[in-house]
């Protein structure tokens, strides 16, 4: 820091030589954060670790895999991922993918049972992802909700949410759309929604679950693999009921 101050003072061509004020201790205390200069203990997240659990593994890049392996020299990992949820595509098999990043002893176990999403929702979600990824692993739901997937025009959003709030004093709902939906504009208001309704993009809904999921114009989520994955992921956030709203 002293060298920096000396340089600024030496090169100060202002009339009042204001840089000389930096030599005053009070001024230095303002520009130097002593707390920031203090170094703590070792970084506990730097490893090494004996075992690492990796979630959403389908999204990791080669560089991110190398960061993980550097922190886990034992190569002992539990890896959880779903090729059907890889937004940027996942053409390889899991065995080929993991072998390519440096894991030569791979044991695979496929999830065959779906505990979250009811059968009615999966019946409509499965064709969506298989159209883009025919060999996707789509688990079989163990339960039915007894509620069929509802299809309606986008203009019915206020009705759908209002009816659900009136019929369900508890639970959470999510409106999934490319652009955030202003709940006040559909006649709910903050008080009516009671904080139980969220509005998220398809990408941000990943990993979450809601009693009611409302897809707004899912065709607008995009084309190709990314669009199909976003639609599939959005649909499978529903634990009870799914409503699909389309325009036109």
């Amino acid at each position: 820091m002293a060298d920096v101050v000396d340089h600024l003072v030496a090169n100060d061509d202002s009339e009042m030589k204001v840089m000389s004020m930096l030599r005053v201790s009070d001024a230095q205390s303002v520009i130097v954060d002593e707390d920031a200069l203090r170094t703590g203990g070792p970084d506990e997240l730097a490893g090494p670790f004996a075992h690492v659990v990796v979630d959403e593994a389908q999204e990791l890049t080669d560089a991110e895999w190398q960061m993980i392996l550097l922190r886990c020299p034992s190569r002992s990992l539990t890896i959880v991922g779903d090729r059907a949820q890889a937004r940027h595509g996942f053409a390889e098999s899991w065995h080929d993918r993991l072998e390519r990043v440096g894991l030569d002893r791979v044991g695979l176990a496929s999830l065959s049972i779906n505990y979250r999403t009811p059968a009615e929702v999966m019946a409509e979600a499965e064709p969506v992802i298989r159209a883009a990824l025919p060999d996707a692993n789509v688990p079989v739901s163990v339960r039915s909700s007894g509620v069929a997937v509802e299809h309606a025009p986008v203009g019915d959003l206020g009705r759908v949410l209002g009816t659900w709030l009136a019929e369900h004093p508890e639970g959470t709902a999510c409106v999934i759309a490319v652009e955030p939906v202003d709940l006040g504009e559909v006649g709910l208001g903050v008080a009516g929604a009671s904080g139980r309704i969220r509005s998220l993009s398809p990408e941000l809904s990943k990993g979450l679950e809601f009693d009611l999921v409302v897809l707004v114009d899912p065709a607008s989520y995009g084309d190709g693999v990314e669009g199909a994955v976003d639609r599939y992921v959005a649909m499978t956030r529903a634990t009870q009921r799914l409503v699909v709203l389309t325009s036109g």
Side-chain angles (χ1 to χ4, degrees):
M1 186 63 192
D3 291 341
V4 174
V5 171
D6 289 343
H7 175 77
L8 292 173
V9 172
N11 291 275
D12 183 9
D13 57 0
S14 64
E15 184 175 339
M16 299 183 66
K17 301 297 182 183
V18 293
M19 289 298 176
S20 61
M21 295 177 62
L22 295 175
R23 296 193 187 279
V24 181
S25 60
D26 288 345
Q28 292 185 21
S29 68
V30 173
I31 62 175
V32 178
D33 185 351
E34 297 294 339
D35 290 333
L37 294 177
R38 298 191 185 102
T39 58
D43 183 359
E44 295 182 353
L45 297 179
F49 302 103
H51 187 83
V52 172
V53 178
V54 183
D55 196 12
E56 301 289 356
Q58 74 278 354
E59 302 292 356
L60 268 60
T61 65
D62 287 359
E64 289 168 334
W65 274 113
Q66 294 309 309
M67 291 173 63
I68 291 172
L69 297 182
L70 286 172
R71 289 162 173 77
C72 188
S74 66
R75 297 294 197 270
S76 176
L77 303 106
T78 297
I79 299 168
V80 183
D82 185 359
R83 293 174 63 236
Q85 297 189 42
R87 297 186 74 245
H88 303 296
F90 199 116
E92 300 168 287
S93 68
W94 273 110
H95 187 276
D96 290 343
R97 174 71 174 125
L98 297 176
E99 186 177 65
R100 183 162 64 79
V101 299
L103 297 172
D104 55 0
R105 291 177 295 166
V106 178
L108 299 177
S110 296
L111 176 67
S112 60
I113 299 176
N114 185 342
Y115 294 97
R116 177 180 62 207
T117 313
E120 292 84 353
V121 173
M122 289 306 298
E124 296 213 16
E126 181 173 358
V128 169
I129 193 59
R130 290 212 185 279
L133 195 66
D135 62 340
N137 177 48
V138 180
V140 177
S141 297
V142 297
R143 64 182 179 88
S144 298
S145 65
V147 180
V149 175
E150 179 182 354
H151 293 265
V154 171
D156 279 6
L157 178 60
R159 173 191 63 80
V160 169
L161 295 177
T163 300
W164 182 84
L165 283 171
E167 295 177 350
H168 298 83
E170 297 181 348
T172 58
C174 186
V175 179
I176 301 179
V178 173
E179 297 294 334
V181 174
D182 186 338
L183 299 178
E185 291 186 358
V186 296
L188 293 179
V190 176
S194 302
R196 296 195 292 125
I197 299 179
R198 300 280 306 277
S199 176
L200 298 172
S201 68
E203 186 176 2
L204 291 179
S205 71
K206 193 171 188 177
L208 304 177
E209 59 182 48
F210 304 90
D211 299 288
L212 166 69
V213 169
V214 182
L215 270 61
V216 177
D217 203 9
S220 67
Y221 292 3
D223 301 320
V225 171
E226 185 171 308
V229 167
D230 281 351
R231 282 185 284 276
Y232 175 74
V233 168
M235 296 172 82
T236 55
R237 301 308 93 197
T239 63
Q240 297 295 330
R241 183 181 178 191
L242 173 67
V243 178
V244 180
L245 304 180
T246 54
S247 57

